[in-house]
Amino acid sequence: EVQLVESGGGLVKPGGSLRLSCATSGFTFSPYRMNWVRQAPGKGLEWVSSISSSSSYIYYADSVKGRFTVSRDNAKNSLYLQMNSLRAEDTAVYYCARDRWHDSSGYIDHWGLGTLVTVSS
Amino acid sequence: SYELTQSPSVSVAPGQTATIACGGNDIGSKSVHWYQQKPGQAPVLVVHDESDRPSGIPERFSGSNSANTATLTISRVEAGDEADYYCQVWDSRRDRMVFGGGTKLTVL
C-alpha cells in the first residue's frame, strides 16, 4: 500500500522558517516525480512545487519562489520542503503528493494526509 | 498565466446526473484530471487524462474534454458523492501544475 506521511508542521512566527518532511513507503520512490500542494483554511488546492525523480527538474509556484526549496533523498525515500521567510498567507495544510508524469503532463495519484502550517505572531 | 474556472457549486438530487465544468483557454488540447475531496480528508483522484478512472473508482464517474471546457460527469449520484471537485492540468508553457477553484457538489 502506498503511504505518504508528512511531518514538521506547526506554529511559526512571520519571517520564520520550517522544514517539512514526507516519508514514503509501499512503492519504489526513486522513479517518481513528487509534489507539494497546499490548501489554506476553507480554500482550494494550490500547487507549491514539483521535483523530478533525479532532482534535475524543479519547479515552484510564483507565490513561493525564492522562499521555499524542495529536495528529496532517494536513499531515504523521502521528500522535503524548506520554507523560509514565512508569511501569514502561507498558512495551510501542506500535502505531499506522488506524480504520474507522461507525455509532458502530470497528475497526482496518491496524496498524504497533510501537515498543518500556521504562520502567526 | 493559465487559469481554470469552475462554478462554485452544483446541486443534484440522488439518482440524477451531476455535471461539473472546468473552463480554460484551449483546454481541449491539454490532459485534464479530476479530484474529489471530502471534508477533512485529502483529495482523491477520480479521473485522469480526460476519461480514465483509477482502480476502485466507480464507472459512474466519467470525463470529457473539448475546446474550452472539460467536464466531469457523475451518473446516478449518491449521497456519498457529496464533496468538492477540482480539475487540474499541467501548464507546460510555464512548467506549473494548475488547479481549478473547485466545485462543491451538494446532493439534495
Side-chain angles (χ1 to χ4, degrees), chain B residues 24-78:
Chain B
N25 184 39
D26 195 29
I27 195 174
S29 67
K30 299 181 181 298
S31 293
V32 180
H33 320 291
W34 292 91
Y35 305 90
Q36 175 195 69
Q37 186 181 33
K38 296 181 179 179
Q41 298 184 18
V44 172
L45 178 70
V46 293
V47 168
H48 65 90
D49 298 299
E50 277 76 62
S51 58
D52 292 335
R53 282 173 289 102
S55 61
I57 301 301
E59 291 183 8
R60 302 185 296 104
F61 289 81
S62 63
S64 62
N65 187 17
S66 179
N68 295 313
T69 304
T71 303
L72 174 69
T73 301
I74 309 172
S75 304
R76 303 180 299 283
V77 166
E78 303 173 356

Side-chain angles (χ1 to χ4, degrees), chain A residues 48-66:
Chain A
V48 172
S49 181
S50 295
I51 182 169
S52 64
S53 57
S54 61
S55 304
S56 298
Y57 299 95
I58 291 176
Y59 307 112
Y60 297 100
D62 288 344
S63 57
V64 306
K65 203 167 190 176

